[in-house]
Amino acid sequence: MDNSVVIKGSKNGITVVLDNELDFKELKSKVAIKFKDSRKFLGDAKTAVSFDGRTLTEEEEEELIEVIRAYSKLDVICVLNKDEGRNKKFEQAVDSTISEMNLTTARFYKGNLRSGQCVENDAGVIILGDVNPGASIITNGNIIVLGALKGMAYAGAGGNKNSFVIALEMNPMQIRIADMIARAPDKPSRKKIKGPQIAYLDANNNICISEYSKDVINILTIN
């Protein structure tokens, strides 16, 4: 029996256990065969995927996700890493924040945004991945990044001062909310907040970045 690729179910989706010795090109072929053979069994559910047994680069992860999408009916919405703490924060952010937004109009983007890429939408954007330096998001509504925000985020582009930006890891080059702009400092602080953070306009129309919490959400007007 070929165990170079093993698919396991988990509470967050599926885990794909990969052989650590195979050449990556051969491994991709094995993943394609495995998911093609399991297509009927796995169905067409939306799911998160995590990889185990082998260290992958970001590019290799993306290649494997494309193979899984091509050879199965699964709708892969994100890739979870091995960091259980981060995965837990992911779940909490999904449960407590996305439910607050109008999902009928918010735009979902699945995957990491690379330099030069831009996602735009009138009524809100949800990124299931990282926003890398040089990438940008522009919307009249709110922005949620279920990953690391390292690029540019522009919420409330139409002038809505109640808009906000949430990210699991907040390290943007620039954040704009309505007509206010905040840029990354030349010398970043060594003190980092662990967990989801939120950027919003305070009473003085200054962009404030703080730890995400229900208390903060409750004082904002959700649009």
Side-chain angles (χ1 to χ4, degrees):
M1 184 183 231
D2 186 356
N3 289 321
S4 54
V5 177
V6 177
I7 303 172
K8 296 182 178 180
S10 69
K11 65 176 183 178
N12 295 327
I14 61 173
T15 298
V16 184
V17 183
L18 305 170
D19 188 287
N20 192 40
E21 303 296 330
L22 280 181
D23 174 76
F24 183 71
K25 186 175 180 180
E26 183 179 355
L27 183 67
K28 280 177 62 178
S29 298
K30 297 283 188 180
V31 170
I33 293 170
K34 189 69 174 183
F35 276 85
K36 183 179 180 180
D37 291 344
S38 306
R39 182 183 177 97
K40 185 175 180 180
F41 174 76
L42 293 172
D44 58 357
K46 288 181 171 60
T47 188
V49 171
S50 60
F51 296 106
D52 200 0
R54 181 184 183 116
T55 300
L56 300 171
T57 66
E58 182 179 305
E59 289 74 19
E60 287 174 338
E61 280 190 355
E62 290 179 358
E63 288 185 44
L64 291 182
I65 289 299
E66 289 307 311
V67 169
I68 292 170
R69 287 173 176 156
Y71 287 90
S72 74
K73 295 183 289 184
L74 294 172
D75 183 2
V76 180
I77 60 171
C78 64
V79 178
L80 297 179
N81 61 27
K82 298 177 185 177
D83 186 337
E84 291 300 324
R86 190 173 189 271
N87 290 347
K88 185 64 177 178
K89 291 165 187 172
F90 175 95
E91 294 175 45
Q92 292 171 343
V94 172
D95 293 341
S96 63
T97 306
I98 289 184
S99 62
E100 303 284 357
M101 297 183 68
N102 186 348
L103 297 186
T104 62
T105 54
R107 178 181 176 185
F108 282 84
Y109 182 92
K110 295 173 283 188
N112 297 324
L113 282 183
R114 295 181 177 179
S115 179
Q117 289 184 289
C118 178
V119 172
E120 299 183 58
N121 187 49
D122 284 339
V125 173
I126 300 169
I127 304 293
L128 301 172
D130 295 336
V131 180
N132 290 314
S136 58
I137 311 164
I138 303 173
T139 177
N140 292 331
N142 305 311
I143 294 172
I144 297 176
V145 179
L146 297 177
L149 174 56
K150 302 175 185 177
M152 192 276 280
Y154 186 4
N160 182 4
K161 294 184 177 181
N162 292 319
S163 297
F164 55 82
V165 179
I166 291 176
L168 291 189
E169 296 178 26
M170 187 80 78
N171 189 26
M173 295 300 296
Q174 182 187 101
I175 282 184
R176 297 184 65 178
I177 299 177
D179 56 353
M180 304 305 295
I181 302 175
R183 293 183 174 86
D186 294 332
K187 294 183 179 180
S189 172
R190 293 182 180 180
K191 184 179 180 180
K192 293 184 178 181
I193 300 175
K194 294 183 178 180
Q197 295 174 65
I198 181 168
Y200 59 96
L201 292 183
D202 63 16
N204 296 316
N205 283 332
N206 295 315
I207 293 179
C208 177
I209 298 178
S210 64
E211 184 176 358
Y212 169 81
S213 69
K214 271 295 185 180
D215 290 338
V216 175
I217 285 292
N218 288 337
I219 66 174
L220 300 176
T221 301
I222 307 297
N223 295 290

